[in-house]
């Protein structure tokens, strides 16, 4: 038996990368998964992988920037899967670059897909998480929030810092409802990381060399397994925290 048997997880951006790794890890512990994302083919591929692990998995096509649709999607998940116990806000579509190079629209995009989308998901999922009597929220942030040199990372870190504050507020306000909320700041070998590594090989090499454990985390085995632990009974007293899943490199740059 897994520690998450009978639980239902909602994971945004689960068609690939970190979201997919978290989905696989939660499924390995027995959770059924609502797989959310923009690309139907990727969602179906993830669902097939999850079903091979013996759990129920259902795809839900959604661009999280369309926050008006989020409450209806959450209700659809609850109706189709019967309940919601875990909410993972992973999806993010933002921008990077010097501040003067960014348009207002680019800056807004990171907030729409980050804290605004997470806020909509958290509010919509709250009654279901409360009803579960032990609901868990995991929000994905970034160690870029604590970089001393934020050159080219300003918009990204600003959006993620807002999400970190939102996580702590939910932990403070909803703890009485039996809901825990934590954030993770992962270094993960995701498709986004691979693209950055290809575009900036020297910076990527320096980045990896500065990780005390010597490598960038695997999406399932390093990031997903940690999230599974945070969602399980062994972490029942942990809430309001930001956990740096970065191999020890909490403040790069």
């Amino acid at each position: 038996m897994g520690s998450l048997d009978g639980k239902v997880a909602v994971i945004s951006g689960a068609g690939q990368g970190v979201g997919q790794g978290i989905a696989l890890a939660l499924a390995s512990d027995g959770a059924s998964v609502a797989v959310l994302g923009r690309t139907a083919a990727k969602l179906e591929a993830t669902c097939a992988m999850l079903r091979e692990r013996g759990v129920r998995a259902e795809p839900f096509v959604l661009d999280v920037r369309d926050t008006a649709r989020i409450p209806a999607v959450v209700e659809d998940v609850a109706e189709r899967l019967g309940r919601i116990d875990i909410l993972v806000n992973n999806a993010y579509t933002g921008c990077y670059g010097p501040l003067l190079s960014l348009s207002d629209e680019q800056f807004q995009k990171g907030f729409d897909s980050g804290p605004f989308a997470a806020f909509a998901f958290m509010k919509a999922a709250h009654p279901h998480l409360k009803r579960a009597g032990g609901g868990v929220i995991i929000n994905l942030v970034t160690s870029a929030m604590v970089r001393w040199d934020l050159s080219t990372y300003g918009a990204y870190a600003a959006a993620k810092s807002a999400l970190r504050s939102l996580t702590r507020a939910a932990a403070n306000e909803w703890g009485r409802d039996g809901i825990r909320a934590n954030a993770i700041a992962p270094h993960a070998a995701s498709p986004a990381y691979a693209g950055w590594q290809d575009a900036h090989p020297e910076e990527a090499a320096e980045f990896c060399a500065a990780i005390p454990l010597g490598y960038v985390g695997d999406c399932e085995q390093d990031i997903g397994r940690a999230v599974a632990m945070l969602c399980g009974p062994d972490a029942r007293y942990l809430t309001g925290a930001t956990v740096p899943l970065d191999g020890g490199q909490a403040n790069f740059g």
Side-chain angles (χ1 to χ4, degrees):
M1 295 180 62
S3 63
L4 301 177
D5 283 350
K7 304 292 187 181
V8 172
V10 178
I11 306 175
S12 67
Q16 64 180 7
V18 175
Q20 184 183 78
I22 292 172
L24 290 168
L26 297 187
S28 292
D29 277 4
S32 297
V33 184
V35 180
L36 278 59
R38 294 178 296 177
T39 307
K42 291 182 178 180
L43 303 183
E44 291 290 357
T46 297
C47 285
M49 296 168 69
L50 297 172
R51 291 168 188 148
E52 288 178 358
R53 302 197 182 192
V55 303
R56 185 176 178 186
E58 297 291 341
F60 297 82
V61 176
L62 172 70
D63 183 337
V64 299
R65 290 178 295 169
D66 186 1
T67 55
R69 282 196 59 216
I70 288 175
V73 171
V74 168
E75 292 307 310
D76 192 17
V77 171
E79 182 175 347
R80 289 168 60 181
L81 294 178
R83 58 189 291 157
I84 297 173
D85 303 271
I86 298 165
L87 170 65
V88 180
N89 286 303
N90 164 69
Y92 174 79
T93 304
C95 58
Y96 307 88
L99 296 179
L100 291 178
S101 73
L102 304 178
S103 66
D104 291 350
E105 291 75 17
Q106 287 175 310
F107 188 78
Q108 183 70 38
K109 188 177 181 181
F111 278 82
D112 288 342
S113 64
F116 285 124
F119 184 51
F121 271 115
M122 291 162 67
K123 288 194 298 179
H126 176 273
H128 301 286
L129 297 171
K130 181 179 179 180
R131 194 175 302 123
V136 180
I137 297 167
I138 303 291
N139 291 329
L140 273 76
V141 294
T142 176
S143 61
M145 298 181 304
V146 296
R147 287 176 66 116
W148 285 112
D149 182 359
L150 270 172
S151 301
T152 75
Y153 292 97
Y156 176 52
K160 292 295 188 176
S161 294
L163 183 53
R164 181 185 187 183
S165 297
L166 185 63
T167 306
R168 182 70 189 185
N172 296 153
E173 295 179 12
W174 297 351
R176 299 291 184 184
D177 297 328
I179 299 171
R180 296 187 296 110
N182 291 298
I184 63 167
H187 288 346
S190 64
Y193 174 80
W196 175 74
Q197 185 179 40
D198 290 343
H200 307 279
E202 293 183 3
E203 185 178 357
E206 181 183 358
F207 173 84
C208 190
I211 299 174
L213 290 185
Y215 70 99
V216 177
D218 179 80
C219 290
E220 179 183 356
Q221 295 303 319
D222 295 309
I223 311 306
R225 292 308 313 157
V227 171
M229 182 274 291
L230 291 171
C231 292
D234 288 344
R236 69 178 192 172
Y237 200 57
L238 180 62
T239 192
T242 298
V243 181
L245 300 178
D246 56 15
Q249 185 211 44
N251 189 3
F252 175 79

